[in-house]
Amino acid sequence: MDGHAPQRESRLLAVSDLHVSYPKNKAIVRELKPANPGDWLLVAGDVGEKLEDITWTLGLLAGRFERVVWVPGNHELWTTQGEPPELRGVSRYERLVEVCRELGVVTPEDPYPLWEGAGGPVRIVPLFLLYDYTFLPPGCATKESALEYAHGTGIVCTDEFLLHPDPYPSREAWCGARLELTEGRLAEVADQDVPLVFVNHYPLVREPTDILRYPEFAQWCGTTATRDWHTRYRTAAMIYGHLHIPRETWYDGVRFEEVSLGYPREWQRRPGGRELLREVLP
């Protein structure tokens, strides 16, 4: 016996919706560390709204984990007061990608990395798809009627005011372009017989939104265009956030993990015992 503790297997971990503009959340992020030197971390969006906060968080995590993979949430894409006003829409996203590359963080614009640790090999597929208002609330047949209904109830996503699609004419047009681009890339890896781990801010299917307290919010939560991706492609797991309802569900035999921290008022009410960093593999 040499007195050294046995090294545990490296793990593929995931988290989202860190929202570090809240001091209590930032304090939690300061303590996030891998259990093993080879652990990877998937970050499924909504790190924060300010470039300074996003850079600090991803830099901290990239310095601790073997590899960090990030996808944007809606909050990262907001153009808020005090941020460079010219960074709207695509320009803001491209600046975020530049920041990640400076930090060594993988983005949806980079080659899909191969996890060969415990439970692998799997191909990590970070997605940036947005939404297109096709998760319509009950009783609504069009985007226009759904938005009218939402405004009537007062449940309107802040994206309507801060997430600009420039130079696209609308958020759904930007979503359509991202879907086309991504499907082309997926076609290149679909025949490699390596399972995929999808990482997206939004779920690929609508069902997880059925639990929302306000069903009108679902229209800002994804697109029906991805409803069969987890079956069309050989999928090991689907990682998402945005809903602030961390849980595991299964659809067509595929595990979906909502991995968000959320706002302090939300996570402070949850019972203890659930690890923030969710184990994707093994």
Side-chain angles (χ1 to χ4, degrees):
M1 297 288 288
D2 59 9
H4 294 290
Q7 185 167 337
R8 297 169 59 193
E9 287 186 305
S10 297
R11 300 178 300 163
L12 182 61
L13 304 168
V15 73
S16 76
D17 295 78
L18 294 172
H19 292 291
V20 298
S21 61
Y22 292 88
K24 290 181 179 180
N25 285 30
K26 195 167 189 177
I28 289 174
V29 171
R30 283 195 182 97
E31 301 303 316
L32 291 181
K33 296 173 184 174
N36 312 288
D39 287 353
W40 287 23
L41 183 62
L42 312 177
V43 182
D46 276 9
V47 169
E49 298 80 26
K50 303 292 187 183
L51 288 172
E52 180 182 2
D53 284 340
I54 298 165
T55 303
W56 175 83
T57 303
L58 294 177
L60 177 80
L61 298 174
R64 292 178 177 177
F65 290 83
E66 178 71 19
R67 179 165 288 190
V68 173
V69 178
W70 165 87
V71 301
N74 54 315
H75 282 239
E76 282 105 334
L77 298 171
W78 288 357
T79 302
T80 59
Q81 188 173 8
E83 292 285 273
E86 69 277 8
L87 293 184
R88 292 166 56 106
V90 173
S91 295
R92 182 166 179 88
Y93 174 61
E94 289 176 344
R95 177 63 188 128
L96 291 166
V97 171
E98 289 176 5
V99 167
C100 286
R101 287 177 172 166
E102 291 166 4
L103 297 171
V105 172
V106 178
T107 77
E109 306 312 304
D110 298 314
Y112 300 146
L114 185 68
W115 165 259
E116 298 184 277
V122 296
R123 182 79 60 187
I124 310 300
V125 179
L127 301 172
F128 170 41
L129 303 175
L130 282 169
Y131 51 83
D132 60 5
Y133 301 91
T134 51
F135 287 1
L136 293 170
C140 297
T142 65
K143 169 195 170 183
E144 291 72 24
S145 62
L147 284 174
E148 182 180 2
Y149 174 62
H151 280 278
T153 64
I155 306 300
V156 179
C157 185
T158 306
D159 292 4
E160 294 298 309
F161 313 102
L162 296 180
L163 201 166
H164 307 289
D166 310 31
Y168 292 96
S170 63
R171 282 174 285 276
E172 56 264 48
W174 193 5
C175 173
R178 293 299 309 183
L179 286 165
E180 182 178 2
L181 172 68
T182 305
E183 290 200 88
R185 293 191 63 194
L186 285 171
E188 298 173 2
V189 300
D191 297 329
Q192 296 180 7
D193 202 34
V194 176
L196 307 180
V197 172
F198 284 112
V199 188
N200 192 40
H201 188 55
Y202 310 100
L204 293 182
V205 298
R206 185 197 174 110
E207 284 85 348
T209 69
D210 291 343
I211 200 174
L212 290 173
R213 181 177 180 184
Y214 300 105
E216 56 267 45
F217 192 76
Q219 62 193 299
W220 293 283
C221 295
T223 168
T224 57
T226 60
R227 65 187 177 275
D228 67 344
W229 283 22
H230 67 294
T231 55
R232 194 195 320 174
Y233 306 104
R234 186 181 172 197
T235 305
M238 197 276 129
I239 306 303
Y240 68 100
H242 189 55
L243 305 185
H244 294 192
I245 307 172
R247 60 179 181 145
E248 176 186 298
T249 53
W250 293 75
Y251 306 103
D252 305 298
V254 176
R255 176 166 52 102
F256 279 57
E257 285 271 2
E258 209 279 13
V259 296
S260 60
L261 172 60
Y263 304 132
R265 68 176 184 272
E266 296 166 330
W267 58 258
Q268 287 174 331
R269 293 198 304 260
R270 294 178 195 142
R274 181 184 173 96
E275 293 289 336
L276 173 58
L277 300 183
R278 299 299 297 163
E279 188 173 286
V280 180
L281 292 172

